[in-house]
């Protein structure tokens, strides 16, 4: 019994020795195998440069050899464990994809980082890059397609009904009805369809034969009281026409003049050409006055005024004369003339022997004073402006 126990103990010791030998032999085999990479761990780099030739395991082998000799491993040589991990990550065919060897083998890699997939193809030539750039530019530099006038808001000019509505001819719907009724013409042509575009600064627009002031012009009629000077500013501080339009941003000027003691209608505008033509003798715009004089009047007074009265600066003729009212010796006469000389009505009647006590201008061309109160300023209608323009061929 004792011999069997001793034998079993020896057998156990022998088994332990065998296991220790096999364990030591296994470690030695692992170290040997680490020096010889497996087939799936081998690298097949083509065109490698520098000191990276051979298989991925050679560096690890050399590093361990240095360690056994007592020296430090080379800084550039990867460890065997890292080589195996890299091989496992990189795949069997291409070997490890990281490390200094991978960077050196692919000099075209961006930023020196790892690249996936197969190697890059050959670089493109400069001529090919230039052609690609030209093709891209031609794609983005195509000419813009012009859309029909019925589409988009960037068309030239404005719609006719919108221009008429802004000029005060009515609402857009009312202006469209004017177009449908063939009452609107542009540059001499009657408009028969909706949506026509016009340029308010260049095109001549008429409604019922009267020009429409489509531009930013202002037209006012003032019933000037007696004692107001016919200037926009007065250096002596007297009341003038400018006092009635002080709140206007646009500069206005008066059309013609009236004596300080003469009352009645006077026009104010910022339309220079219209103002010039209204006062030019060539166009002969007529003005009508009511004059209060003392009688009795001879029957041929009207004939004398129409034939002409000799004044200091030449003959002055009236276009029309009539007696409006007669109360005893008080007469109210109406005189119409197209001249615009200074104090012409007062001088003509005074030269005929009938001094004027009060003088009121009741109309300027086709614009009547009407029942407008003294000192009141009103904006003229588009119809009145059109009549004025027709009077002077505008």
């Amino acid at each position: 019994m004792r011999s069997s126990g001793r034998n079993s103990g020896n057998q156990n010791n022998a088994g332990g020795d065998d296991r220790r030998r096999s364990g030591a032999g296994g470690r030695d085999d692992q170290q040997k195998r680490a020096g010889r990479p497996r087939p799936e761990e081998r690298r097949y780099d083509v065109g490698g440069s520098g000191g990276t030739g051979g298989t991925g395991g050679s560096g690890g082998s050399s590093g361990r050899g240095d360690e056994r000799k007592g020296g430090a491993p080379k800084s550039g040589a990867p460890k065997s464990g890292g080589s195996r991990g890299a091989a496992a990550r990189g795949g069997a065919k291409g070997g490890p994809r990281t490390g200094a060897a991978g960077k050196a083998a692919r000099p075209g890699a961006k930023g020196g980082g790892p690249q996936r997939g197969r190697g890059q193809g050959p670089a493109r030539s400069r001529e090919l890059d230039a052609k690609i750039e030209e093709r891209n530019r031609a794609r983005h530099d195509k000419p813009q397609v012009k859309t029909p006038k019925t589409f988009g808001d960037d068309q030239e000019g404005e719609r006719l009904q919108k221009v008429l509505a802004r000029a005060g001819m009515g609402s857009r719907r009312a202006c469209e009805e004017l177009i449908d009724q063939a009452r609107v013409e542009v540059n001499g042509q009657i408009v028969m369809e909706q949506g026509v575009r016009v340029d308010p600064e260049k095109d001549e627009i008429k409604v019922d034969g009267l020009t429409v002031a489509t531009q930013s012009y202002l037209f006012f009629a003032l019933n000037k009281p007696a004692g107001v000077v016919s200037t926009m500013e007065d250096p002596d501080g007297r009341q003038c026409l400018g006092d009635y339009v002080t709140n206007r941003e646009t500069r206005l000027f008066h059309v013609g003049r009236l004596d300080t003691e003469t009352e009645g209608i006077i026009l104010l505008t910022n339309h220079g050409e219209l103002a010039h033509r209204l006062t030019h003798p060539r166009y002969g715009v007529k003005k009508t006055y009511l004059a209060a004089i003392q009688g009795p009047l001879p029957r041929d007074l009207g004939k004398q005024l129409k034939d002409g009265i000799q004044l200091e600066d030449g003959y002055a003729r009236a276009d029309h004369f009539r007696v409006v009212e007669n109360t005893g010796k008080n007469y109210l006469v109406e005189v119409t003339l197209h001249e615009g000389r200074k104090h012409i009505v007062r001088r003509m009647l005074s030269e005929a022997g009938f001094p004027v006590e009060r003088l009121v201008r009741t109309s300027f061309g086709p614009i009547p004073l009407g029942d407008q109160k003294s000192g009141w300023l009103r904006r003229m209608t588009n119809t009145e402006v059109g009549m004025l323009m027709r009077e002077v061929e505008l």
Side-chain angles (χ1 to χ4, degrees):
M1 293 296 290
R2 291 178 183 174
S3 61
S4 63
R6 193 178 295 116
N7 292 337
S8 63
N10 293 335
Q11 291 177 358
N12 292 335
N13 292 334
D17 294 339
D18 294 337
R19 284 193 296 271
R20 281 193 294 270
R21 289 194 198 97
S22 63
R27 284 194 296 272
D28 293 341
D29 294 341
Q30 289 179 2
Q31 292 178 359
K32 291 179 181 180
R33 284 198 301 270
R36 297 193 304 273
R38 297 175 182 178
E40 64 268 19
E41 295 178 349
R42 295 175 183 173
R43 296 185 56 188
Y44 299 93
D45 293 340
V46 179
S49 59
T52 60
T55 62
S58 60
S61 167
S62 61
R64 280 188 300 276
D66 294 338
E67 288 179 359
R68 283 193 295 271
K69 292 177 181 180
K74 295 182 181 179
S75 60
K79 296 181 180 180
S80 62
S83 175
R84 291 191 60 183
R89 287 192 302 272
K93 291 186 178 181
R97 296 296 185 186
T98 60
K103 295 179 182 178
R106 291 181 298 278
K110 295 182 180 179
Q115 294 252 342
R116 295 181 179 180
R118 301 183 180 275
Q120 292 183 349
R124 296 183 302 199
S125 63
R126 293 183 179 180
E127 292 79 3
L128 180 59
D129 289 338
K131 290 181 179 180
I132 294 175
E133 183 68 20
E134 291 180 0
R135 186 166 60 249
N136 292 338
R137 288 183 180 180
R139 182 190 310 166
H140 295 288
D141 295 343
K142 292 181 179 180
Q144 296 182 355
V145 180
K146 293 185 177 181
T147 56
K149 289 188 175 182
T150 54
F151 298 97
D153 296 332
D154 56 347
Q155 304 299 323
E156 296 182 358
E158 299 180 69
R159 292 185 181 274
L160 179 57
Q161 58 266 36
K162 182 178 179 181
V163 175
L164 292 175
R166 188 174 63 246
M169 299 304 297
S171 64
R172 292 194 184 182
R173 180 57 184 165
C175 295
E176 291 176 358
E177 293 179 358
L178 291 176
I179 297 174
D180 292 336
Q181 297 169 4
R183 298 169 59 185
V184 182
E185 57 181 282
V186 178
N187 298 329
Q189 300 291 330
I190 297 178
V191 180
M192 301 297 296
E193 59 182 6
Q194 302 290 341
V196 175
R197 294 184 177 270
V198 297
D199 186 353
E201 300 293 332
K202 299 179 181 179
D203 296 330
E204 182 184 17
I205 304 173
K206 293 184 178 182
V207 176
D208 296 333
L210 300 179
T211 303
V212 178
T214 57
Q215 301 177 1
S216 57
Y217 291 131
L218 301 177
F219 306 91
F220 296 96
L222 171 68
N223 186 356
K224 186 185 88 66
V228 177
V229 183
S230 294
T231 58
M232 302 307 293
E233 296 180 359
D234 186 68
D236 299 332
R238 296 175 294 179
Q239 189 177 11
C240 61
L241 300 176
D243 297 335
Y244 293 89
V245 291
T246 53
N247 58 342
R248 302 292 174 182
E249 297 180 358
T250 306
R251 178 180 176 271
L252 300 174
F253 38 87
H254 50 88
V255 180
R257 293 176 180 269
L258 283 178
D259 305 335
T260 303
E261 298 303 324
T262 302
E263 308 170 44
I265 185 171
I266 186 169
L267 306 183
L268 303 171
T269 182
N270 61 346
H271 195 306
E273 181 63 22
L274 177 62
H276 171 71
R277 293 196 181 193
L278 288 173
T279 56
H280 199 281
R282 170 188 172 184
Y283 299 98
V285 179
K286 296 180 180 181
K287 281 80 68 175
T288 303
Y289 299 83
L290 281 177
I293 58 176
Q294 293 290 327
L297 300 183
R299 292 185 178 181
D300 62 343
L301 179 58
K303 184 176 184 303
Q304 294 178 27
L305 296 176
K306 292 179 181 179
D307 292 341
I309 302 293
Q310 180 66 40
L311 303 178
E312 297 176 357
D313 51 355
Y315 272 92
R317 295 180 176 85
D319 297 322
H320 180 73
F321 175 85
R322 72 184 182 95
V323 177
V324 178
E325 186 177 330
N326 178 22
T327 305
K329 293 183 178 181
N330 299 321
Y331 285 83
L332 189 64
V333 297
E334 182 182 83
V335 181
T336 302
L337 66 165
H338 63 271
E339 298 186 42
R341 284 183 276 174
K342 185 177 180 179
H343 298 176
I344 186 170
V345 177
R346 292 179 181 273
R347 289 194 294 159
M348 287 177 64
L349 292 174
S350 179
E351 188 68 25
F354 303 95
V356 176
E357 296 179 354
R358 184 185 178 189
L359 187 63
V360 179
R361 184 159 69 183
T362 58
S363 68
F364 190 106
I367 311 301
L369 179 63
D371 56 354
Q372 185 175 347
K373 296 182 180 180
S374 179
W376 280 35
L377 179 76
R378 69 175 180 89
R379 188 160 187 169
M380 298 171 59
T381 65
N382 285 281
T383 302
E384 291 175 327
V385 174
M387 291 189 297
L388 277 178
M389 290 186 173
R390 183 172 60 182
E391 190 80 12
V392 295
E393 302 175 5
L394 274 179

